[in-house]
Amino acid sequence: MKHGNYFLMMGFIGTGLLFTACLAVMIGPVVIKPLLVVKIWVHQFTGGLIEKEWSRIPEVIVMDIRTPRVLLSILVGMGLAVSGAAMQGLFRNPMAEPYVLGMSSGAAVGACLAIVLGMGRVFGPFAIPILAFTGATVTIFVVYNIARTGNRVPTETLLLAGIAVGLFLYAVVSFLKISASMENLQNVVLWLMGSFAMATWMDVKIVILPLLGGICVLCFMVRELDILQFGEETAIHLGMNVETVKRILLIASALVTGAAVSVSGIIGFVGLIVPHMVRMAMGSRHRILLPASALCGAIFLVCCDTLARVVSQPSEVPIGIITAAIGAPYFVYLLKRRKNAVNWW
Amino acid sequence: MLKLLNISASYQDIPILENIYLNISSKLFYGIIGPNGAGKTTLLKIMTGIKGPDAGEVLLQGKKINRFAKKEVAKIMAVVPQSSFVPPLFTVEDVVSMGRYPFQQLRFSDSDADRRCVDEAMEKTGINGLRHRRINELSGGQRQEVIIARALAQTPQILMLDEPTANLDIKHQMKILHLTSALVRNEGMAAVMVIHDLNLAARFCDRLILLHDKKILTMGTPETVLTPAHLKTAYGVETSVGENPLTRSLEVTVLDKKGAVHESVKQCVNY
Ligand SMILES: Nc1ncnc2c1ncn2[C@@H]1O[C@H](COP(=O)(O)OP(=O)(O)O)[C@@H](O)[C@H]1O
Ligand SMILES: [Mg+2]
């Protein structure tokens, strides 16, 4: 792909994302006109470049309720899709993603601990994200060390260790659930199902740095990811420090996953199906795959969240259920359709 | 340029190589021969630093190879591995560009020097016309040339090839051997190639290294290495060694037990 085409393509998807975001802010119990949404945004984000000519109600709806929620789903969607794409590239396995490696279960244990122990009351809003990130990082290091033989970490054992540790951590979450008080239990269950319903600007501020930071690190590794597709031995022959690259990718991925899980709970399938669709449309070169997955993941999650808000108004469906309802059939379809490994990858 | 001193290596406590001494110098084309499982690939892995030896030292330009940064090794030595798994969807140009990885300073774009080396590598291997093709759509011989071009893009002083001619037709075999020996003659590279075909080895290589029973059975010019006695020890077959009148290089013919030429194992293909 030529450079011109590349930027054209990213620009196109980026515009699509803006459009989707605008649409998502419009839609809800109170529908707000698109022009008004844009005006309120411009007014707010440029410090009053446009005269205010609307009442307080639409402004509160747009700025305090819907915009942070849409922003949060954009950030989380980007994070989940990019770390999914990076893990699939690292493990050369289309089934790899932070969930498979146990990272999100680790983050869930951390977050559940924070909720069950009521740490939010003591440490404020940072308790859940910090514990979730710690959970994800500790998990990936435990998994990494279980899988390690000598100073190498074979990919196959890493995946197996991830699955085993993930299942164990899931049991820990269940244990935390039964030992929680009634009120905390409700919070845990709600949180585990995954939702952006409680999204605030505070959430956005807390996770924006780790999420964007982690995504940037992953996007910096596109060259390494491309080379790793030829196997680790070739990567070493080409002068790559494979174990260091692995560690960087795993930590960045844990950071992104921990941050995403801490604000939105467990949202499955995004990291699996978004990179997969992008790969089918644009090929598996990571310098295209990662940025495109980020944008498409954001679009996908904003759409899912909007669906979650509107399908059963006035109540909400947890977004995890929506992504599963779309993702699982799509995955079954892919499995059925698969003829050979080349098609798959 | 590359020295192995008293190397021993094993896999899971099973010894594969013992007390190997070897000296690779520039401007020479080395052929590693020996029966299947003799440890040729293992020897190459030791030389490239992929596998650590149990004992002994690997010296690259007088310095222990594990003291080098990986990128520094990759600037001196390039490898064409035995089985190159080829992932789909990369173009030939993408793959050859990967050979510039050890030199790349910029994260997202290539320097002019990088692009020039990639062009040169494709020129030398004669795959310029394939530049925008996807590698998974190429034939085995073309793929092998792409992998060699990637190695050349590293602008190495030592080129290691592990059975690069296996599974290729005679035309591509010849192309790869001619290319390698041209690199040795014209650019002063050292080339080390694992090769099964003894006649081709005799014809193109300056030095042969015959591996047998964990050791180097013998090493030297094709004339000193390819004797019926050595081949009997290493491969356990009777051979007759003569000169091919056309190529003026040695020709090994495998004989069956009665001393007659056995049709099915006849190795005297005249290229
Ligand atoms: N990764 C490995 N683990 C265990 N044994 C191995 C491994 N690779 C090679 N071997 C063993 O080492 C011996 C030499 O293998 P190799 O160097 O590949 O031989 P060659 O390339 O000469 O055919 C063989 O007996 C093989 O079974
Ligand atoms: Mg071999």
Side-chain angles (χ1 to χ4, degrees), chain B residues 11-12 16 34-43 45 82 162-163:
Chain B
Y11 281 114
Q12 287 113 36
I16 306 292
N36 286 324
K40 303 182 291 295
T41 299
T42 309
L43 181 60
K45 285 186 180 177
Q82 179 162 19
D162 197 350
E163 295 188 32

Side-chain angles (χ1 to χ4, degrees), chain A residues 9-24 69-82 196 270 273-274 277-278 282 291-309 319 322-323 326:
Chain A
M9 175 104 69
M10 294 303 160
F12 183 71
I13 310 177
T15 316
L17 174 57
L18 262 181
F19 189 75
T20 314
C22 187
L23 206 69
R69 181 169 183 159
V70 167
L71 260 181
L72 208 58
S73 23
I74 289 178
L75 286 171
V76 170
M78 281 185 167
L80 294 178
V82 170
F196 290 106
V270 181
I273 64 170
V274 171
M277 286 171 158
V278 174
M282 299 184 224
S293 292
L295 295 174
C296 292
I299 293 176
F300 178 73
L301 213 56
V302 170
C303 290
C304 286
D305 184 48
T306 311
L307 267 184
R309 281 193 288 140
I319 187 172
I322 303 270
T323 57
I326 298 173

Side-chain angles (χ1 to χ4, degrees), chain A residues 238-305:
Chain A
L238 290 173
M240 189 190 301
N241 222 325
V242 173
E243 297 305 326
T244 310
V245 167
K246 261 189 209 170
R247 257 175 252 144
I248 293 173
L249 287 170
L250 289 173
I251 290 178
S253 206
L255 184 67
V256 169
T257 308
V261 167
S262 73
V263 284
S264 60
I266 301 232
I267 301 177
F269 288 101
V270 181
L272 224 46
I273 64 170
V274 171
H276 197 272
M277 286 171 158
V278 174
R279 207 175 276 122
M280 291 208 301
M282 299 184 224
S284 54
R285 281 177 293 170
H286 290 83
R287 92 193 83 121
I288 295 162
L289 180 63
L290 260 60
S293 292
L295 295 174
C296 292
I299 293 176
F300 178 73
L301 213 56
V302 170
C303 290
C304 286
D305 184 48

Side-chain angles (χ1 to χ4, degrees), chain A residues 118-235:
Chain A
M119 286 166 78
R121 260 161 280 154
V122 189
F123 299 104
F126 287 96
I128 293 181
I130 289 178
L131 255 77
F133 169 63
T134 312
T137 316
V138 169
T139 305
I140 197 57
F141 273 95
V142 169
V143 168
Y144 185 85
N145 279 308
I146 291 176
R148 169 144 106 192
T149 49
N151 54 7
R152 283 203 63 243
V153 181
T155 299
E156 303 75 25
T157 38
L158 193 58
L159 274 176
L160 286 176
I163 290 166
V165 170
L167 284 174
F168 170 74
L169 290 173
Y170 217 77
V172 174
V173 170
S174 299
F175 176 76
L176 286 175
K177 274 200 261 185
I178 59 165
S179 50
S181 71
M182 220 42 201
E183 183 206 337
N184 282 341
L185 177 63
Q186 202 174 3
N187 285 340
V188 169
V189 170
L190 269 181
W191 178 85
L192 275 177
M193 280 194 287
S195 171
F196 290 106
M198 304 299 167
T200 60
W201 279 107
M202 192 64 193
D203 291 325
V204 175
K205 281 182 195 151
I206 291 172
V207 298
I208 192 164
L209 270 184
L211 269 175
L212 288 186
I215 290 171
C216 283
V217 171
L218 293 175
C219 286
F220 260 108
M221 307 299 280
V222 288
R223 205 161 239 163
E224 281 78 5
L225 281 167
D226 275 350
I227 290 177
L228 277 171
Q229 302 316 298
F230 286 78
E232 290 177 16
E233 218 161 87
T234 294

